[in-house]
Structures are given as structure tokens and as C-alpha cells.
């Protein structure tokens, strides 16, 4: 009986640089009892299957954690409904007692006080549980983020088809985590779209989705996000645009988050054709009502591209200068933003000596209807965004940290210097915009999709019964 032995010799990286035959043969006859030996020479960069198996095992563990947290969130929602009913009932009861205090004995009043203390204890218990659960969600998000980075590295270095199945599993986990976080955040802040708050208090840690759809870190200039005023049926749509320079030509839209991560574009729009040139420049565009608002390349102006009709138009911004850009990138002369109050554009003029000017855009007339002058010098700013009619500006603290350092309130015409630090995934970013539909900041950071949850001060709430959670 002939036994065939397969011996694998892994060559060092220096040897692998030389051309080698993967199989070597030995001539001669093989008699009974002899061994037939084949030597296989494989390069040192073989696919790390063990690493992929470990990632799949981790996916199972994370899935179990998420299932537990989803059950907890469902429990929080049911408890919250019960507690709110108790609060409403007590509120009604206390109002009746206030109207006719002499009709109630001291013993009855003491019983009501005990009920109030019981509800207070229940609320404090729920608050502690929710905060603990959110800490777990943050940990899960970190784990998924780290693994997505590893998968992206494997996908760019090896055959991406080998990684595809595992990536799909993690995308499902990401979607499940997004849904769990959304429901969790609704408990904390059920008023998305409302401006009944005291401004930004803090940002979450950066949430890294993955490398861009071009699967190329060289696409450092670009942006991504969601439509700030989506058409009916497009509430889950995402968009992405990027380039190796500051030009703006292609915009891709994706049905939902899964399609974005799987790089399965629903449609890609091209702003350039043989019969027209609608290309732009800079990296501060937004999509609102299925329309791309961006900086037109020639002539220098603001433009909008209607993705429904696939037509474009532009308007010159009075006095806007091409000489002043943000700190991190050139050609960011017109910066578009959308918030709960509408559509905005920031720029600088020679007259303002490079200080930021903020304009409110009439979306129907596509023209500036009001302008505000600020005192902050645009080239010192990393980027800006709008929330509830308030302009926020960022700047660099160090290679790991930026901060929101300035805010201008268009309603009061007052400006303030603040310090709200936040971590960066990598040092430089060219895109930062807020979306009012989910109260997130979307950042394009050296080719990666990055986002942040935004938390608000609640000191402007109206005086109505509320749960302090």
C-alpha cells in the first residue's frame, strides 16, 4: 500500500519574493512499502482561516449578548408605560386634593405620600437599569467596530469572497445593535425632531462602520449619511460620495444600512456627461428631500441636483470668497447643513476678513433669505454643523481629540465659546454633518464611515410631569 504524505513548508517573506514552483517532483520508481513524498511551497501570506473562525465564534457570543439586551429594552418599555400611568394617576389625584384639601384625612395624605415615594424608587431603579444596559451596548459597539476593522483589513488583503459570509453576520449584528440602540434612545429622548432642549451636552465615542464603498483608503475626500428630510418610503436610505481629491462627481444611494455596508448601491448618479458638466468641489454637501446640495465647481456657486428629475441648477452666493477653507481640507468654501429648522450654508467673505458667515436658504426659491455674521475665523475651524438653528464649530485639540468650541444661536443672535471634546477615529476628517431624523453626527474620516450619537442638555424642558431618566 502506498502512503502519500503532503509536507507543507512555509517560506519566509524574503524567500517568497523569489519565484518558486508550488510543487516539486522527484523522478524514479516507487516500489511496495516505499513512500511517495510531495513538497508544497506556500507563500507566507496564506489566508488566516483561524482568525476568521475566531471572528465567527465571537459573532455568536455578541449575538447572545444582544438578545439579552433586546429583552431588557422590551422590559424597560413595558415598565415605562406602567410607571407613566402611575405618575399620571398620582398627578390627577394630587390636583383633586389641592382643590379640596379639607375632604382628605391626614392618614389618606400619608398614603399618597407613600405611593409617591414608591414610584420615585421604581423610577430610580429603572434609571440605574437603563444606564447599566447602555454601558453594555457601548461595549458591544466597540467589539463590533473592532471586528469590522479586522474584516476590512482581511477583505482588502485577501479574497473578499472568503470574508463575505462572516461580514454578513456582523452586518446583521450591526443592524440589530442599531435597532436596540434606537429603542433604547427613544426611552431617554422620545422627542427626536424637537428643539425643546438646551443645546448639545456631549457626543458619544466614534462609531466606525467600515471603509468606504470603493474599498480604498485613498478615497479620503467625501461624505456619507442619511437624507435629512426623506421622501415617503426612503426613511432608511443612506448615501455616499467620495473621491481621491476634492472634486464631486458621483453620488450613490443605498436602500438601507445593510445595503450600504454590503456596498450594494441602489443607484449611482453621475454629475458629468458629454452634454453637461454639473460637477462640484469641496466635501460639505447634504441630501435633503432627495436633492443634493453642494458647491458648484464652475462657476463658483451653490448648486442643487434633484435626484428624482436628475436636473441641476446653481445660484451665486453674494460676496462668498474662494479664499477661505476649513483647517483640514481645501476647497471647502461653501458648507451646506440641514437641521430641524431647514437648510443652511456657511462661508466667508473678503468683507468679513475670513470670519464665518451663516446663511439660511429658502429651499423653494433656492436663494439666501437671511444672513448672520459670526466672529470665528474660518481657517481655524475643523468643520461646522447646524442643530435647531444653532451653528456649532469644531477645532483640533490633539491628534486624538477635537472639540466643539463655538456656537452661534440664530434666534437670539448670541454666540458662546464652549468646550465639548470628542474622540476622533483618525486625525483628519473632511466631512461632519448633523442629521435631525436620528440626531446623529456623520463624519467621513480618512475614508471611513464614522458617526456619533448627540446628547442634549434638558434644562429647557417645559414644566410638565416627566420621568428623570
Amino acid at each position: 500500500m502506498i502512503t502519500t504524505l503532503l509536507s507543507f513548508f512555509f517560506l519566509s517573506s524574503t524567500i517568497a519574493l523569489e519565484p518558486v514552483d508550488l510543487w516539486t517532483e522527484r523522478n524514479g520508481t516507487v516500489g511496495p512499502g516505499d513512500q511517495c513524498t510531495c513538497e508544497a511551497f506556500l507563500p507566507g501570506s496564506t489566508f488566516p482561516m483561524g482568525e476568521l473562525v475566531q471572528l465567527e465564534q465571537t459573532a455568536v457570543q455578541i449575538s447572545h449578548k444582544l438578545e439579552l439586551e433586546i429583552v431588557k429594552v422590551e422590559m424597560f418599555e413595558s415598565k415605562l408605560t406602567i410607571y407613566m400611568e402611575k405618575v399620571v394617576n398620582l398627578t390627577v389625584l394630587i390636583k383633586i386634593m389641592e382643590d379640596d384639601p379639607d375632604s382628605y384625612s391626614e392618614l389618606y395624605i400619608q398614603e399618597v405620600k407613600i405611593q409617591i415615594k414608591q414610584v420615585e424608587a421604581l423610577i430610580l431603579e429603572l434609571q440605574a437599569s437603563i444606564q447599566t444596559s447602555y454601558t453594555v451596548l457601548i461595549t458591544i459597539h466597540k467589539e463590533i467596530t473592532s471586528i469590522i476593522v479586522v474584516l476590512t483589513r482581511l477583505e482588502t488583503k485577501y479574497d473578499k469572497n472568503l470574508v463575505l459570509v462572516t461580514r454578513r453576520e456582523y452586518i446583521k449584528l450591526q443592524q440589530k445593535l442599531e435597532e436596540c440602540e434606537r429603542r433604547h434612545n427613544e426611552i431617554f429622548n422620545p422627542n427626536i425632531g424637537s428643539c425643546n432642549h438646551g443645546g448639545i451636552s456631549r457626543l458619544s465615542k466614534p462609531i466606525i462602520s467600515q471603509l468606504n464603498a470603493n474599498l480604498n483608503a485613498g478615497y479620503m475626500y467625501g461624505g456619507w449619511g442619511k437624507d435629512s428630510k426623506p421622501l415617503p418610503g426612503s426613511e432608511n436610505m443612506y448615501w455616499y460620495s467620495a473621491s481621491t481629491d476634492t472634486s464631486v462627481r458621483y453620488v450613490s444611494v443605498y436602500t438601507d444600512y445593510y445595503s450600504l455596508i454590503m456596498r450594494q448601491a441602489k443607484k449611482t448618479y453621475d454629475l458629468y456627461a458629454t452634454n453637461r458638466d454639473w460637477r462640484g468641489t469641496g466635501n460639505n454637501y447634504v441630501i435633503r428631500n432627495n436633492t443634493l446640495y453642494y458647491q458648484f465647481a464652475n462657476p463658483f456657486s451653490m448648486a442643487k441636483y434633484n435626484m428624482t428629475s436628475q436636473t441641476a441648477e446653481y445660484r451665486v452666493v453674494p460676496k462668498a470668497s474662494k479664499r477661505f477653507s476649513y483647517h483640514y481640507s481645501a476647497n471647502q468654501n461653501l458648507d451646506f447643513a440641514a437641521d430641524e429648522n431647514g437648510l443652511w450654508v456657511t462661508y466667508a467673505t473678503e468683507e468679513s476678513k475670513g470670519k464665518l458667515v451663516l446663511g439660511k436658504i429658502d429651499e423653494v426659491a433656492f436663494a439666501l433669505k437671511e444672513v448672520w455674521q459670526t466672529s470665528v475665523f474660518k481657517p481655524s475651524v475643523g468643520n461646522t454643523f447646524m442643530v435647531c438653528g444653532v451653528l456649532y464649530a469644531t477645532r483640533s485639540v490633539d491628534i486624538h481629540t477635537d472639540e466643539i468650541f463655538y456656537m452661534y444661536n440664530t434666534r437670539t443672535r448670541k454666540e458662546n465659546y464652549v468646550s465639548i471634546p470628542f474622540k476622533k477615529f483618525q486625525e483628519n476628517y473632511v466631512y461632519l454633518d448633523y442629521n435631525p431624523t436620528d440626531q446623529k453626527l456623520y463624519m467621513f474620516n480618512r475614508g471611513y464611515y464614522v458617526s456619533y450619537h448627540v446628547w442634549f442638555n434638558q434644562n429647557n424642558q417645559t414644566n410638565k410631569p416627566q420621568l428623570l431618566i
Side-chain angles (χ1 to χ4, degrees), residues 195-350:
C195 291
N196 190 23
H197 55 72
I200 295 175
S201 61
R202 64 184 177 90
L203 304 183
S204 69
K205 292 185 178 180
I207 303 163
I208 300 93
S209 294
Q210 70 168 25
L211 190 62
N212 59 68
N214 294 94
L215 205 62
N216 189 334
Y219 282 72
M220 294 179 60
Y221 302 93
W224 75 295
K226 300 184 74 175
D227 193 317
S228 65
K229 191 180 179 182
L231 298 177
S234 299
E235 292 82 3
N236 296 324
M237 185 194 84
Y238 282 81
W239 62 268
Y240 157 71
S241 176
S243 177
T244 55
D245 55 31
T246 58
S247 63
V248 181
R249 177 174 173 178
Y250 299 103
V251 181
S252 297
V253 295
Y254 302 82
T255 306
D256 49 28
Y257 185 75
Y258 180 85
S259 300
L260 172 80
I261 299 302
M262 292 300 293
R263 306 181 181 93
Q264 298 171 346
K266 178 182 178 182
K267 186 175 180 61
T268 296
Y269 299 90
D270 189 352
L271 300 177
Y272 180 73
T274 54
N275 60 336
R276 44 98 174 142
D277 187 353
W278 294 335
R279 286 176 294 183
T281 187
N283 305 103
N284 285 99
Y285 28 70
V286 294
I287 289 182
R288 183 173 178 83
N289 205 19
N290 208 41
T291 299
L292 172 72
Y293 291 88
Y294 64 106
Q295 179 180 317
F296 211 54
N298 187 26
F300 171 57
S301 53
M302 64 179 185
K304 67 175 185 179
Y305 175 76
N306 188 313
M307 294 190 295
T308 303
S309 63
Q310 297 186 39
T311 57
E313 59 181 302
Y314 63 88
R315 296 282 190 279
V316 173
V317 179
K319 300 182 181 180
S321 173
K322 295 174 66 176
R323 201 159 65 89
F324 304 100
S325 185
Y326 288 136
H327 175 68
Y328 289 128
S329 178
N331 294 339
Q332 293 184 304
N333 308 115
L334 301 179
D335 179 9
F336 295 88
D339 68 356
E340 293 83 355
N341 293 352
L343 184 66
W344 310 81
V345 61
T346 56
Y347 55 97
T349 66
E350 297 295 335

Side-chain angles (χ1 to χ4, degrees), residues 385-404:
F385 58 92
M386 297 292 298
V387 179
C388 290
V390 177
L391 173 72
Y392 292 88
T394 70
R395 66 182 176 190
S396 176
V397 176
D398 55 46
I399 61 174
H400 303 295
T401 311
D402 262 32
E403 70 171 353
I404 299 171

